[in-house]
Amino acid sequence: MASSLIRVAAPLLVGVAAGIGAIVGASLTRERKHLELETGPRPLAVEGWWSSDASSSLAHAHPAVLIVDADTAQLVDSWDRRTRGRVQRPVVRRTPEWPAGGLIVVDAATGDLLTVVGEAGRAGMPAT
């Protein structure tokens, strides 16, 4: 009687253990894929500290930025380091500190001027 019970229960226990292992393995694989960093769908209009993965005080203080044409206040591009993608629903807020022309990088949340891009000697440097 005991041997027939073992013959039935043993395969069932092995099947349950295999099923649990498969579920745990699939969830770990799904989480690992979710955590992997992916590149953006297209390159940014201009690259700089705002588009890197390296830690910096500026990048942590301003994780989401907008690249704007200061002449027209038109959005050229955006980047959010937290999501490694474009800023969702970006809003351009012109401030008095903006230069008259050129490409600029501004904080997506506040509109603060962070960098003037393309100006001689200041490309990629924080605005002062």
Side-chain angles (χ1 to χ4, degrees):
M1 177 76 175
S3 65
S4 62
L5 183 61
I6 291 174
R7 285 185 197 159
V8 172
L12 288 175
L13 290 174
V14 169
V16 168
I20 291 171
I23 291 170
V24 169
S27 69
L28 290 175
T29 302
R30 194 174 319 126
E31 286 178 17
R32 189 175 307 123
K33 285 181 182 175
H34 179 69
L35 294 176
E36 290 175 358
L37 296 178
E38 298 177 9
T39 58
R42 60 182 167 78
L44 290 174
V46 289
E47 300 284 333
W49 61 262
W50 55 87
S51 60
S52 69
D53 289 331
S55 295
S56 76
S57 60
L58 286 173
H60 286 289
H62 309 286
V65 298
L66 305 177
I67 302 167
V68 179
D69 180 355
D71 294 325
T72 61
Q74 292 291 333
L75 179 69
V76 174
D77 212 342
S78 66
W79 188 249
D80 190 336
R81 292 180 74 243
R82 296 166 294 199
T83 62
R84 293 204 32 85
R86 298 312 195 256
V87 174
Q88 299 296 319
R89 296 179 298 282
V91 176
V92 177
R93 297 174 190 90
R94 184 183 286 274
T95 63
E97 64 184 351
W98 284 16
L103 285 180
I104 59 173
V105 178
V106 298
D107 186 277
T110 64
D112 292 340
L113 177 65
L114 302 176
T115 303
V116 177
V117 180
E119 192 174 282
R122 292 190 53 187
M125 297 300 294
T128 53

